Amino acid sequence: MSKSNADSQSSILTLTFSDEPFYGRVTDGFGSTVYRLDAKEGALGGKKESHVSRVGSDGKLNRVADIVWGGLTVNKSVNVGGKDRGQFLDNRRDSVFSTPEYWFTAGDGREFYWKQTDCFTASGELVATYTRQSKRLFHPKVPASLTVDQTYTSLEVLDFIMVSVLLAEQKREQQSRRSNASSSGGAAGGGGGRGGC
């Protein structure tokens, strides 16, 4: 998604997380619901599992993915398109000090990766950008959004981008909490951010 493509509304698809980033409606630029995110909370709060459904042209929900977030007694699992994807995101980076890259393989077999809030092809072409929800005191909430180059909006790719952004954001939230806890003296040695999700 080059700068010129990003400026051309016809060449990108913008999806807005109208309710919350991890649950509710995901709508397109016309306000039509494209995806529905459902989440169940665990006994201690926090996400227990999530379900991603695509809204069909008939208005029916078609299940795309199930994510079990894991916890003390349950391992994380990701099922997309009816297949167990195991460790869906693979965290690849050169060193502990480099920015994590969360790699995944889409339904068409191509590899993509998230680096911070941008998603790239294996060759480094920008595919999508996630903008986090903004909540500021005395300002209206600005919902999270995902812009995707139209070249990558086939369902065998878009469904995987949708699932991957949820997993990558969850990973970033966990790292941010660990970082905040260790900077406030609440946690020692917060872990190295290794592995995937």
Side-chain angles (χ1 to χ4, degrees):
M1 191 165 40
S2 68
K3 180 66 174 162
S4 60
N5 283 348
D7 292 339
S8 170
Q9 292 302 315
S10 63
S11 65
I12 62 170
L13 170 66
T14 300
L15 298 173
T16 302
F17 294 75
S18 300
D19 300 315
E20 290 294 327
F22 288 96
Y23 62 88
R25 299 168 301 124
V26 180
T27 57
D28 63 15
F30 300 103
S32 301
T33 302
V34 179
Y35 287 97
R36 173 90 195 167
L37 309 177
D38 296 300
K40 293 182 183 176
E41 289 192 358
L44 302 174
K47 291 177 288 298
K48 179 179 179 184
E49 57 186 68
S50 294
H51 306 286
V52 179
S53 300
R54 189 180 336 101
V55 179
S57 56
D58 57 1
K60 293 183 180 176
L61 295 178
N62 302 302
R63 185 70 60 90
V64 169
D66 299 300
I67 303 167
V68 176
W69 294 103
L72 295 174
T73 59
V74 180
N75 291 326
K76 181 176 287 187
S77 69
V78 181
N79 182 305
V80 185
K83 294 182 183 176
D84 182 7
R85 302 294 172 167
Q87 183 174 301
F88 187 83
L89 291 182
D90 180 22
N91 184 357
R92 303 179 196 171
R93 61 180 174 180
D94 298 330
S95 74
V96 192
F97 303 105
S98 62
T99 303
E101 294 179 357
Y102 297 112
W103 288 73
F104 65 97
T105 303
D108 64 357
R110 289 187 287 178
E111 282 195 313
F112 299 87
Y113 67 93
W114 285 95
K115 189 168 187 174
Q116 297 181 342
T117 57
D118 293 321
C119 181
F120 300 91
T121 62
S123 62
E125 180 182 346
L126 182 61
V127 171
T129 298
Y130 178 74
T131 304
R132 293 182 179 120
Q133 175 179 271
S134 172
K135 291 182 183 177
R136 292 177 25 205
L137 196 59
F138 307 119
H139 290 83
K141 178 180 83 171
V142 177
S145 64
L146 176 67
T147 55
V148 184
D149 186 313
Q150 287 282 10
T151 310
Y152 301 96
T153 57
S154 68
L155 297 181
E156 58 192 3
V157 176
L158 186 60
D159 289 349
F160 284 76
I161 290 174
M162 176 60 64
V163 173
S164 69
V165 76
L166 296 175
L167 292 166
E169 274 303 294
Q170 173 72 6
K171 195 74 170 165
R172 281 189 282 267
E173 278 185 10
Q174 290 170 341
Q175 289 171 340
S176 177
R177 280 194 299 270
R178 275 197 307 264
S179 178
N180 290 340
S182 60
S183 67
S184 66
R194 46 183 200 282
C197 24

